Amino acid sequence: MRDSARVIAALDWSMTQIHNFGAGPTGLPLAVRERLADALQVPFDHAPSLLEVSHRGARFLEVSTRLRAGLRTLLGLGDSHEILLMSGGAQLQFALLPMNLAASGTATYLESGHWSRTAVAQARPVSRVEIVGSSAATGFTTLPAVGPVPSDAAYLHYCGNETIHGVQFSAPPTAESPVIADLSSEIFSRPYPFSELAVVYASAQKNLGIPGLTVVAMRRDLLERSPRSLPPILSYRAWAEAESMPNTPATAAWLATMEMVEWMLREGGLPAMAARNAAKAAAVYACLDRHDCFETPVAREARSSMNVVFRLVDRAEEPEFLKAANAAGLLGLEGHRAVGGMRVSLYNAIEMSSVEALVAFLDAYAQRG
Ligand code: PMP
């Protein structure tokens, strides 16, 4: 065994609790897990559970109504925006947005990391595309500014929080054209000026529940842009007309998101989420900053409160570090395969007690002698 591996292995970790820092799919609040488990209980009369009945029946339509009501409350949006509950993940939106909204005009993008770059790649086959600001030159450790935008810009797309690179916009960029935000890894982590945005979308498997549902809030006037030539299943207008049920929805994901949204509201809504998330991120960054053995590549002003990325100065020690973290019950700390290193995801479901366990582990690692 390498010396460093021996040292880490010697740290005395009693595995008392599991802490899930995965980037998504990831942990749900215990209260949500319990409610989902209850929803599947077999009652004495063997009546079907919510996941075994038609999505068009009264029982599931109540889920839909409660889900929409909760989303509207958290988004703080009145009637200006349509809420679409879609399938196919955020990546399908990468393609649908240019197909529907940039049939004429140029789709413009801020490139701030892996996900905004992927959004550009999905748009290129179907639209004229221009990147109007990029932080590629810094390896996506800073945030791009908006440069000159073409006069026929159909929209400006940005990714609010880059889940892999760990950079986050503190506020939406401003532009004359409609602004579209991929908030997949930060939605509802803090109050946000949703009403300033033309489109906000997020896949559910981070702050909103489990995979299968993508929430899209779209300004109603934009629905008119969907070309009539599009197959209806790819058309936002058709999804709105079908009240988000042109086909069978991912009922389990809708139910999980309903529970997540109602949990957030019970916990005090977005101000409460923001206070907790700020405290969690501050504790993790402070720990990483006070020890020389850790490196945080992201510029301070661009640091994400949701996905904290870091490296060990001694890169060779990272595999053993991750193994020891796992053994200590700290799961999901591997960085994305595209960048390596480590990543701590601090979504709404993560408790401060989990952060304290992580910080204790990091402190002990740093002081291992
Ligand atoms: N955007 C962001 C910011 C993401 O983090 C992810 C996935 N982690 C995606 C888009 C793609 O999401 P999906 O897998 O739901 O297509």
Side-chain angles (χ1 to χ4, degrees):
M1 206 182 336
R2 281 167 29 84
D3 269 1
S4 55
R6 225 189 322 269
V7 173
I8 295 173
L11 294 173
D12 178 25
W13 297 108
S14 54
M15 206 171 93
T16 51
Q17 207 192 326
I18 297 293
H19 306 283
N20 185 355
F21 295 101
T26 187
L28 299 167
L30 200 54
V32 170
R33 268 173 72 165
E34 284 170 355
R35 280 171 187 246
L36 292 176
D38 281 352
L40 279 175
Q41 289 302 318
V42 181
F44 69 91
D45 60 355
H46 289 215
S49 74
L50 259 173
L51 303 185
E52 300 163 284
V53 293
S54 167
H55 56 289
R56 304 209 185 267
R59 281 179 71 197
F60 190 76
L61 289 180
E62 190 202 324
V63 172
S64 167
T65 304
R66 281 168 58 184
L67 169 58
R68 288 163 191 276
L71 287 170
R72 260 196 199 287
T73 306
L74 288 170
L75 287 163
L77 292 171
D79 213 34
S80 55
H81 288 63
E82 178 80 28
I83 293 180
L84 303 172
L85 303 169
M86 302 184 72
S87 308
Q91 287 215 51
L92 184 65
Q93 300 303 318
F94 292 171
L96 294 186
L97 288 163
M99 287 166 85
N100 282 267
L101 305 183
S104 61
T106 302
T108 70
Y109 287 81
L110 283 178
E111 187 189 47
S112 54
H114 177 92
W115 290 113
S116 46
R117 188 168 254 193
T118 308
V120 169
Q122 290 287 349
R124 282 203 196 280
V126 292
S127 173
R128 207 163 44 245
V129 168
E130 202 171 309
I131 294 170
V132 295
S134 174
S135 50
T138 67
F140 300 124
T141 58
T142 58
L143 287 166
V146 186
V149 172
S151 58
D152 71 338
Y155 59 73
L156 173 68
H157 179 282
Y158 76 104
C159 176
N161 181 69
E162 288 280 1
T163 322
I164 293 176
H165 287 90
V167 294
Q168 182 174 25
F169 286 84
S170 57
T174 47
E176 302 219 333
S177 53
V179 176
I180 298 179
D182 171 7
L183 297 187
S184 291
S185 52
E186 76 148 289
I187 193 163
F188 301 154
S189 64
R190 55 179 171 147
Y192 209 76
F194 294 113
S195 62
E196 288 172 22
L197 296 165
V199 184
V200 181
Y201 66 100
S203 51
Q205 62 270 21
K206 299 159 198 309
N207 268 345
L208 285 182
I210 62 172
L213 169 66
T214 306
V215 173
V216 182
M218 178 170 294
R219 227 173 54 204
R220 285 185 201 280
D221 59 293
L222 293 179
L223 295 169
E224 292 313 309
R225 286 203 201 170
S226 294
R228 297 271 170 199
S229 56
L230 277 182
I233 200 71
L234 302 179
S235 157
Y236 288 125
R237 186 198 301 109
W239 273 79
E241 283 167 4
E243 296 181 352
S244 295
M245 288 196 191
N247 60 350
T248 316
T251 51
W254 286 39
L255 179 64
T257 300
M258 182 200 86
E259 293 294 358
M260 276 300 284
V261 160
E262 293 188 351
W263 172 80
M264 288 184 232
L265 290 167
R266 282 197 305 278
E267 293 289 303
L270 303 188
M273 296 297 130
R276 282 191 210 177
N277 289 330
K280 291 182 310 189
V284 175
Y285 282 116
C287 176
L288 295 171
D289 287 344
R290 71 176 164 259
H291 299 299
D292 291 341
C293 58
F294 303 121
E295 272 176 17
T296 46
V298 172
R300 267 168 198 270
E301 65 283 3
R303 282 176 165 181
S304 166
S305 63
M306 291 281 99
N307 307 102
V308 178
V309 294
F310 72 99
R311 309 276 331 215
L312 298 186
V313 169
D314 183 353
R315 301 277 194 272
E317 223 169 73
E318 288 177 350
E320 286 93 18
F321 173 89
L322 285 166
K323 239 187 269 166
N326 252 298
L330 306 168
L331 308 186
L333 291 174
E334 312 67 35
H336 190 272
R337 61 190 181 281
V339 294
M342 273 72 66
R343 169 172 53 171
V344 185
S345 295
L346 297 173
Y347 302 126
N348 288 349
I350 292 282
E351 299 280 352
M352 192 61 180
S353 55
S354 292
V355 169
E356 284 161 3
L358 172 69
V359 166
F361 177 85
L362 294 174
D363 281 339
Y365 170 78
Q367 284 145 21
R368 69 203 182 286

